[in-house]
Amino acid sequence: MEKIYELAIVGAGPAGIATAIESYLQGIRGIVLLEKDINHNSTIRKYYKDNKRVDLEWKGQKVDLYGKIHFVDGTKESTLDLFDELLEHHDIELQTQVEVASIEKKDDYFEVHMAGKSIKAKYVVVTIGRMGKPNKPSYKIPPAIRKKVNYTTDECSEGEKILVVGGGDSAVEYAVDLSEKNDVSICYRRETFRRANPTNQANIANAIAHNEVRPILGINIDGLEATEDGKVKVLFSEIEPEVYDRVIYAIGGTTPSSFLASSGIEEKDGKPVHDENYETNVKGLFVAGDITQESGGSIALGLNHGYDIATYIKSNEKA
């Protein structure tokens, strides 16, 4: 029988770790932390210089801690040490380099979809930050064709010759969906679509077999140029250049809004809708930390959210 976790947490920053630890301390077992980076607290690791001060509060937000995690102002190193210690001394499963694409509500559990796999959990807490944006190519996009180079399918019309760049779930879904009314090719630097989930792998294989999508696999792109008539000339490394009406990059990264929408979470004024327990419109699915704020929040806020959610889930189990 497939394992069903009691609690899955998306994002291993302060709010995510706090939710895991506070839940564990209240007696909840079967907790998994899902982190797309190579380690927890990737924002602190990437954006804080060595020995940089890390404050409990942020931009004057006065927040009193009321959970069981004792956090004080410190340095980047002392902050990471604290979270290392918390994870080491509590039975929390940390899965890194797994990017959650969507969360699907089933009858009495959630299915959390990631590239190439999925897990099941009774409760899910989303603690992703507000820094997520689509990844852009390393080469410059000429100004003349910027409107023809996109990161979603929002600008697409019918009858266009389109190149989708990428090999994950988003790239595959874009290519298959657009192929119904457009001439679509998909370019991926690897030979297979192994990052995509099994359903998408089957869909793209079927589309390629029926000549609905043209594969350009194992090929890199050196850059883009504008043609005289405003189309996009794609400069491939291993094959001759080709001209397209539009190029769509789906090479990783997500915006919080698109992720929330794919998981059925309602949004208002740029923030996910939730009640006083941080539960969204989807029962059993919670949000915590920066994503609940308009422009980021303090570590203290994230820690308190974790405590509140853990307390609510535990009381819900007793009811």
Side-chain angles (χ1 to χ4, degrees):
M1 185 176 174
E2 190 178 350
K3 179 176 182 177
I4 298 181
Y5 290 92
E6 187 69 15
L7 175 62
I9 300 160
V10 183
I17 294 175
T19 305
I21 300 300
E22 296 287 3
S23 298
Y24 185 86
L25 292 173
Q26 297 206 36
I28 295 171
R29 297 295 180 264
I31 302 169
V32 61
L33 265 169
L34 305 170
E35 171 56 49
K36 70 177 182 179
D37 222 304
I38 59 173
N39 211 334
H40 64 81
N41 283 295
S42 60
T43 300
I44 293 175
R45 293 177 196 276
K46 286 179 184 176
Y47 297 104
Y48 282 67
K49 293 178 182 176
D50 291 348
N51 297 310
K52 178 177 169 63
R53 181 182 173 86
V54 179
D55 294 325
L56 176 65
E57 290 159 351
W58 186 76
K59 291 191 177 181
Q61 288 181 349
K62 234 8 210 169
V63 181
D64 292 325
L65 285 180
Y66 46 75
K68 294 189 171 66
I69 296 173
H70 181 62
F71 187 99
V72 294
D73 297 342
T75 63
K76 170 184 177 178
E77 290 75 14
S78 69
T79 300
L80 293 174
D81 285 346
L82 170 67
F83 287 118
D84 275 338
E85 199 174 315
L86 287 168
L87 288 171
E88 192 179 326
H89 289 90
H90 300 85
D91 189 15
I92 310 292
E93 182 180 336
L94 173 63
Q95 292 188 21
T96 58
Q97 294 181 288
V98 290
E99 186 161 2
V100 176
S102 63
I103 301 160
E104 185 183 356
K105 174 75 170 176
K106 299 290 189 178
D107 289 340
D108 54 356
Y109 65 89
F110 291 91
E111 194 146 357
V112 182
H113 298 286
M114 295 162 275
K117 68 172 184 176
S118 65
I119 63 164
K120 295 176 179 177
K122 187 175 176 184
Y123 298 99
V124 179
V125 184
V126 175
T127 69
I128 59 175
R130 303 197 65 84
M131 292 177 131
K133 291 180 180 176
N135 291 334
K136 297 186 177 182
S138 55
Y139 39 85
K140 285 188 165 53
I141 309 297
I145 54 172
R146 277 187 187 147
K147 289 187 178 177
K148 298 289 186 179
V149 177
N150 310 123
Y151 302 91
T152 69
T153 59
D154 293 351
E155 305 300 318
C156 297
S157 52
E158 295 180 16
E160 292 186 311
K161 183 181 179 183
I162 298 173
L163 178 68
V164 177
V165 182
D169 287 305
S170 293
V172 168
E173 288 165 10
Y174 289 170
V176 172
D177 289 347
L178 290 169
S179 68
E180 291 180 15
K181 296 178 180 177
N182 297 278
D183 174 7
V184 176
S185 300
I186 184 167
C187 177
Y188 186 43
R189 58 192 172 83
R190 301 191 189 280
E191 296 284 353
T192 65
F193 298 99
R194 64 176 181 268
R195 279 181 53 225
N197 67 47
T199 300
N200 282 330
Q201 287 185 36
N203 289 344
I204 193 67
N206 183 61
I208 290 169
H210 289 87
N211 298 315
E212 294 161 358
V213 174
R214 181 167 71 98
I216 306 175
L217 300 178
I219 302 292
N220 291 285
I221 296 174
D222 287 337
L224 305 180
E225 290 178 358
T227 63
E228 287 183 4
D229 56 353
K231 293 189 177 183
V232 185
K233 185 177 184 180
V234 180
L235 308 176
F236 296 104
S237 297
E238 296 85 356
I239 58 176
E240 290 298 307
E242 195 164 342
V243 175
Y244 296 85
D245 296 314
R246 189 177 302 280
V247 174
I248 299 174
Y249 287 96
I251 52 177
T254 58
T255 59
S257 291
S258 63
F259 174 76
L260 294 173
S262 71
S263 302
I265 299 174
E266 290 177 5
E267 201 175 355
K268 186 178 180 184
D269 299 327
K271 294 181 291 184
V273 177
H274 61 80
D275 64 13
E276 68 276 9
N277 301 304
Y278 304 99
E279 190 170 30
T280 68
N281 56 291
V282 183
K283 191 161 180 59
L285 180 54
F286 300 79
V287 286
D290 285 1
I291 200 170
T292 65
Q293 307 299 299
E294 283 182 25
S295 58
S298 67
I299 289 177
L301 203 71
L303 299 181
N304 284 349
H305 287 178
Y307 176 80
D308 287 338
I309 291 169
T311 303
Y312 178 73
I313 289 174
K314 189 62 182 176
S315 65
N316 215 34
E317 284 190 329
K318 292 175 182 174

